[in-house]
């Protein structure tokens, strides 16, 4: 009797297990077929699985490290951190751009790799906006000295000292106002604001006066003169000429003689000036017209208080 009961129980368990395994197999096949047609679900599951595996690996690494070990970086290793770095090997640039990188790095005591990325971006954005890349770099030099974390007392932030609170709508395209401290984003937004200022003012010099917030003042305190003088040095470097790393800028109160509007936006198909050298294919190098002359102003010219109201007015218009 007990043998019969045991045999029946074993047979029942085997039957149920067989059917359960068959059911699980059917469910697995159905799930695979379903995921094959849902790429986004499959990607989500793969991402979660990868995240779980990475967390487990990090936990094992932390557990294996001795508590007294001074190498805490082992527990905080983040191989993907390189993707956040704003850097570029200057060797990837053409000869003219690489020369600019070297000169800027020496003049402003900054590393060549991040400057290389900014020079590359200035060429790309300048080509799209019709603004000379040397002008973009000159504005960055005068505004922040290539410090991506610079901030003025009136709220201008980043490399090109854009009024983040006023132009928050532009930064929304890049994820929000904190993007002002991403060097590449700040450059792109700054060039848009600079282009708007030049177009609104009608000339390069007047546009720079708008940009610094002195359009309604008698003088911009020498701001435009400094930017154009720095641009002249950058042009000389691009042309292959030697420029001292400590070359001086005009003193405060210097004014600028108006130059033709053609200096604002230049045709990309024109030839480079004599001595500038041939550009590498596809680098988007723009020609560099003659620099605008500068002349000292009267010593009595007052220095303006820079509140950049023009940027406010432009953002509201």
């Amino acid at each position: 009797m007990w043998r019969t009961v045991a045999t029946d129980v074993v047979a029942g368990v085997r039957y149920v297990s067989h059917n359960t395994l068959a059911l699980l197999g059917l469910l697995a096949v159905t799930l695979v077929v379903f995921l094959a047609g849902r790429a986004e679900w499959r990607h989500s599951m793969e991402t979660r699985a990868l995240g779980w595996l990475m967390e487990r690996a990090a936990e094992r690494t932390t557990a294996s490290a001795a508590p007294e070990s001074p190498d805490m970086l082992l527990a905080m290793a983040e191989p993907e951190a390189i993707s956040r770095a704003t850097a570029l090997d200057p060797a990837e640039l053409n000869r003219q751009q690489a020369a600019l990188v070297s000169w800027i790095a020496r003049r402003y005591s900054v590393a060549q790799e991040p400057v290389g990325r900014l020079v590359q971006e200035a060429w790309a954005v300048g080509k799209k906006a019709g603004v000379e890349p040397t002008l973009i770099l000159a504005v960055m030099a005068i505004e922040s000295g290539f410090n991506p974390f610079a901030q003025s007392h009136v709220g201008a932030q980043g490399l090109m000292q854009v009024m983040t609170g006023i132009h928050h709508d532009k930064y929304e395209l890049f994820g929000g106002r904190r993007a002002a401290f991403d060097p590449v984003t700040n450059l792109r937004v700054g060039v848009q604001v600079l282009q708007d200022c030049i177009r609104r003012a009608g000339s390069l010099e007047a546009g720079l006066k708008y940009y610094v917030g002195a359009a309604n003042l008698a003088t911009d305190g020498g701001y435009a003169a400094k930017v154009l003088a720095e641009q002249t040095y950058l042009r000389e470097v691009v042309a292959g000429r030697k420029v001292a790393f400590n070359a001086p800028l005009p003193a405060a109160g210097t004014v600028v003689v108006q130059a033709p509007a053609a200096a604002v936006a230049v045709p990309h198909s024109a030839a480079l000036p004599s001595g500038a050298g041939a550009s590498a294919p596809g680098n988007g190098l723009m020609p560099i017209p003659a620099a605008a002359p500068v002349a000292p102003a009267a010593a009595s010219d007052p220095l303006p208080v820079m509140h950049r109201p023009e940027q406010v007015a432009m953002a509201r218009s």
Side-chain angles (χ1 to χ4, degrees):
M1 176 181 176
W2 289 106
R3 181 178 297 177
T4 302
V5 172
T7 302
D8 291 343
V9 170
V10 171
V13 170
R14 185 181 301 170
Y15 178 78
V16 172
S17 299
H18 176 75
N19 289 337
T20 302
L21 291 175
L23 180 60
L24 290 176
L26 180 62
L27 290 176
V29 171
T30 303
L31 180 62
V32 170
V33 173
F34 177 77
L35 291 178
R38 296 292 189 277
E40 65 279 4
W41 286 32
R42 187 172 65 254
H43 177 71
S44 176
M45 294 182 65
E46 291 173 352
T47 302
R48 291 182 180 179
L50 179 60
W52 181 81
L53 291 173
M54 292 182 66
E55 289 178 3
R56 296 294 298 167
E59 290 176 1
R60 287 196 299 270
T61 301
T62 303
S64 62
E68 65 277 6
S69 174
D71 189 8
M72 67 177 184
L73 288 180
L74 185 62
M76 299 189 299
E78 191 180 358
E80 64 273 15
I82 186 65
S83 64
R84 299 197 301 266
T86 303
L88 175 74
D89 187 350
E92 299 179 26
L93 302 173
N94 64 48
R95 180 175 57 83
Q96 296 166 310
Q97 295 167 341
L100 272 181
V101 169
S102 177
W103 189 83
I104 291 173
R106 289 284 302 276
R107 182 169 174 81
Y108 292 95
S109 299
V110 291
Q112 291 196 19
E113 288 79 5
V115 174
R117 180 68 181 89
L118 295 177
V119 168
Q120 181 191 59
E121 190 67 22
W123 249 256
V125 176
K127 181 178 181 180
K128 293 180 180 179
V131 179
E132 283 192 48
T134 52
L135 176 63
I136 298 170
L137 295 169
V139 169
M140 280 190 285
I142 302 304
E143 288 283 359
S144 66
F146 292 95
N147 175 10
F149 309 124
Q151 177 166 318
S152 74
H153 67 284
V154 295
Q157 296 178 322
L159 283 173
M160 298 192 71
Q161 291 291 279
V162 176
M163 296 289 288
T164 305
I166 301 304
H167 296 283
H168 60 86
D169 57 323
K170 296 180 177 64
Y171 283 114
E172 288 301 324
L173 300 174
F174 299 92
R177 294 173 56 170
R178 292 182 182 177
F181 298 106
D182 169 54
V184 172
T185 299
N186 191 279
L187 186 157
R188 293 175 179 175
V189 173
V191 170
Q192 178 65 68
V193 176
L194 177 62
Q195 182 191 49
D196 292 343
C197 287
I198 294 173
R199 182 170 57 246
R200 178 73 62 87
S203 71
L204 174 57
E205 292 76 14
L208 289 172
K209 198 175 180 184
Y210 265 74
Y211 191 84
V212 78
N216 296 325
L217 301 176
T219 175
D220 63 3
Y223 174 79
K226 289 182 179 180
V227 170
L228 294 178
E230 186 72 6
Q231 185 188 18
T232 298
Y233 293 148
L234 296 173
R235 286 169 165 171
E236 291 292 306
V237 173
V238 170
R241 303 184 183 95
K242 291 185 178 181
V243 180
F245 300 119
N246 61 346
L249 292 173
T254 303
V255 297
V256 181
V257 177
Q258 288 287 331
V264 179
V266 293
H268 308 308
S269 58
L272 285 169
S274 175
S279 59
N283 61 24
L285 183 63
M286 288 188 287
I288 301 173
V294 297
S300 60
D301 285 345
L303 290 177
V305 179
M306 302 305 181
H307 294 296
R308 301 179 185 258
E310 288 72 22
Q311 287 195 25
V312 178
M314 289 172 56
R316 293 175 178 172
S317 61

